[in-house]
Amino acid sequence: MKYYSTRDRSWAGVALADAAFMGLAADGGLFLPERIPQVDMAKVEALAKQSYADMALYLAGLLFDDVATEDLECVVRGAYDFPIELRRLDEQFSTLELFHGPTHAFKDFGARFMGRMTGLLNTEDELVVLTATSGDTGSAVAHGFYNVPGVRVVVLYPEGKVSPLQEAQMTTLGGNIHPLRVAGTFDDCQRMVKSAFRDVALRERVRLTSANSINLLRWVPQSFYYFYGYCTWRKMTGRDMPTVVVPSGNYGNLTAGMLARRMGLPIKGFVAASNANDVVPEFLLTEQYRPRKSVQTVANAMDVGDPSNFERMMELCGGDVKALQGEVQGYSCSDEEIESAIKEIYEKYGYLSDPHSAVGYLAVKHLDVDGFYLSTAHAAKFGEVVEPAAGVAPVLPPSLAEAFGRERKSMPIEAADEALREFLLKM
Ligand SMILES: *Cc1c(COP(=O)(O)O)cnc(C)c1O
């Protein structure tokens, strides 16, 4: 399989390792596979009954056809050793719980696959994965690359500005994970990382790569769970052609679903479920794309004002807005609605929902969706929102509680580009 960029069509025929280590194409576009392989759904259904990993291995084999099967098997079985569950609340509401991985957010599905694939594809010198985080991405990437040979991870986070739980997830691993706590803001962290990537002299001495959500190796494997969700939902309800509701921010998750549909997954379409950051739902109504500064909400992992994957979304529809409107419906809601949904879900079903997943629930309810919504994080990760809304505190899963109790180790660093440069050279 070769890859092409969404922008300059002369960027085509790019090999997997090159596309993966580049992240963003040199023309600023996003990589997509040159051809979309078609699945045998009978085979997918049989494999999904065996295990998620068996099913994922088949799909990964179609998409990454130039990677040896034994190698892919190692990547897939290593990455997907945790459960995935479709939970049926009642006849109308079912949710695919994607939060049973080590960091208890769906980003584990992309980050763990990416970590192992990067280790496999990197045949040269040591690679340094450099990433800035405001919380969730850093922990998923740190766990995804933990103990991957030939790779070191440097995570920059703003000191005192990530939740204690998020900090514990990034700073208690040790080994090849190097957390830096920056005396500054998330914007400082991002600026420092960008400056390192632009530093030609530094990059001659240190091999740097990024792990952000537009990277192909994080994006593609997110298509696999749509197949699994479909198979289990069909088995559970006896119905067919579901609509899948996707709580969205940067739209990597939803566009991965669009990829699954193009591979032959028989789903009707999607709902782009957003918080007050409603650029995409607005576009679907008005056909005007108006990127803007994000506003802060209680579902903060979805606070994105100019989603990077919008470009992939349009590309998958061949630039045809009407086709996109036929496939994806928009929905957005306020913080108040999210909080009352958390309360309602708890009162009706005794089920605690995190604020992001609650946006999915609301879309099912208000658009009268026949299908299921994705749950993207464990309620305990957002206890500060869930507890006041539901009136009870979510119980920390054992692995989170354990990380919370362990000693945190990170290095303090000034919010200066030069300080990061020095650290990378000395590391
Ligand atoms: C990242 C994230 C999202 C948004 O996913 P996108 O792929 O960026 O649309 C939703 N919920 C949670 C909990 C997340 O961490």
Side-chain angles (χ1 to χ4, degrees):
M1 181 75 77
K2 296 280 191 278
Y3 300 88
Y4 74 99
S5 161
T6 47
R7 293 196 188 165
D8 181 354
R9 288 309 148 91
S10 59
W11 273 93
V14 180
L16 175 61
D18 296 332
F21 297 152
M22 229 181 294
L24 205 63
D27 61 6
L30 279 71
F31 284 114
L32 281 166
E34 287 197 344
R35 112 194 117 65
I36 295 184
Q38 296 303 298
V39 296
D40 172 351
M41 273 311 293
K43 193 161 177 182
V44 171
E45 294 206 39
L47 290 169
K49 271 188 203 132
Q50 290 174 31
S51 75
Y52 185 76
D54 286 323
M55 184 211 69
L57 183 58
Y58 165 61
L59 297 169
L62 295 175
L63 284 153
F64 300 106
D65 55 357
D66 37 17
V67 178
T69 310
E70 324 68 276
D71 289 340
L72 264 189
E73 177 137 20
C74 242
V75 167
V76 168
R77 298 212 187 277
Y80 302 129
D81 60 353
F82 55 89
I84 165 168
E85 259 174 65
L86 185 79
R87 185 180 289 265
R88 198 171 186 197
L89 299 177
D90 66 12
E91 191 63 26
Q92 186 184 12
F93 295 98
S94 301
T95 183
L96 185 64
E97 296 181 344
L98 300 172
F99 54 71
H100 298 294
T103 75
H104 296 281
F106 87 98
K107 289 189 173 69
D108 285 329
F109 281 90
R112 285 171 72 82
F113 185 92
M114 180 190 191
R116 283 158 181 78
M117 272 296 254
T118 303
L120 179 75
L121 295 174
N122 180 31
T123 50
E124 292 172 43
D125 298 341
E126 190 173 67
L127 199 57
V128 174
V129 173
L130 182 61
T131 195
T133 185
S134 55
D136 261 2
T137 300
S139 47
V141 168
H143 279 260
F145 282 87
Y146 183 50
N147 280 340
V148 170
V151 181
R152 287 210 246 186
V153 177
V154 175
V155 188
L156 282 76
Y157 68 93
E159 179 163 21
K161 295 188 179 70
V162 303
S163 81
L165 199 58
Q166 287 169 330
E167 186 174 37
Q169 287 185 302
M170 290 185 275
T171 58
T172 56
L173 290 169
N176 63 331
I177 311 301
H178 304 268
L180 302 179
R181 53 175 206 275
V182 176
T185 61
F186 172 60
D187 292 336
D188 291 320
C189 298
Q190 255 188 330
R191 191 205 63 238
M192 290 162 77
V193 164
K194 280 190 184 150
S195 135
F197 277 112
R198 272 198 311 267
D199 188 334
V200 182
L202 171 69
R203 296 193 71 175
E204 273 170 14
R205 295 171 61 185
V206 185
R207 281 184 72 215
L208 291 182
T209 188
S210 76
N212 58 19
S213 68
I214 50 95
N215 192 296
L216 196 82
L217 291 179
R218 261 184 76 180
W219 179 65
V220 168
Q222 294 185 109
S223 61
F224 304 164
Y225 47 73
Y226 285 87
F227 288 91
Y228 191 84
Y230 166 83
C231 294
T232 41
W233 182 82
R234 208 167 87 106
K235 205 167 91 195
M236 210 179 253
T237 62
R239 308 203 292 269
D240 211 343
M241 293 299 277
T243 293
V244 185
V245 176
V246 190
S248 294
N250 219 4
Y251 285 84
N253 198 355
L254 194 143
T255 47
M258 291 172 69
L259 172 65
R261 190 162 173 270
R262 280 154 185 72
M263 290 171 74
L265 180 66
I267 54 184
K268 188 154 173 258
F270 303 93
V271 176
S274 77
N275 56 26
N277 296 281
D278 64 347
V279 197
V280 171
E282 180 190 84
F283 172 79
L284 290 166
L285 278 182
T286 63
E287 302 182 13
Q288 301 292 315
Y289 187 69
R290 294 194 307 126
R292 43 198 180 256
K293 249 181 99 92
S294 65
V295 298
Q296 206 182 341
T297 75
V298 292
N300 60 21
M302 290 162 35
D303 294 349
V304 181
D306 185 8
S308 319
N309 282 289
F310 181 70
E311 211 167 308
R312 252 188 194 129
M313 208 171 189
M314 287 306 292
E315 177 65 25
L316 285 168
C317 285
D320 181 347
V321 180
K322 293 276 176 290
L324 183 65
Q325 288 167 323
E327 181 172 5
V328 184
Q329 207 182 340
Y331 174 79
S332 73
C333 58
S334 67
D335 276 2
E336 294 68 41
E337 288 173 294
I338 295 173
E339 284 158 346
S340 59
I342 293 172
K343 180 174 154 69
E344 176 177 311
I345 301 166
Y346 182 64
E347 285 174 353
K348 274 173 98 172
Y349 308 106
Y351 181 71
L352 284 173
S353 173
D354 100 286
H356 307 81
S357 312
V359 175
Y361 169 90
L362 280 167
V364 172
K365 182 172 163 175
H366 290 287
L367 303 178
D368 199 18
V369 167
D370 184 25
F372 57 92
Y373 68 97
L374 304 184
S375 276
T376 53
H378 193 289
K381 283 200 90 170
F382 298 92
E384 68 285 356
V385 179
V386 175
E387 187 175 349
V392 289
V395 177
L396 281 184
S399 62
L400 281 185
E402 202 236 342
F404 212 50
R406 247 182 291 156
E407 190 194 351
R408 292 176 204 175
K409 281 197 187 134
S410 62
M411 227 186 77
I413 186 170
E414 269 175 82
D417 301 352
E418 189 50 32
L420 176 62
R421 182 172 195 274
E422 247 168 61
F423 174 83
L424 291 170
L425 285 171
K426 281 203 202 119
M427 199 169 73

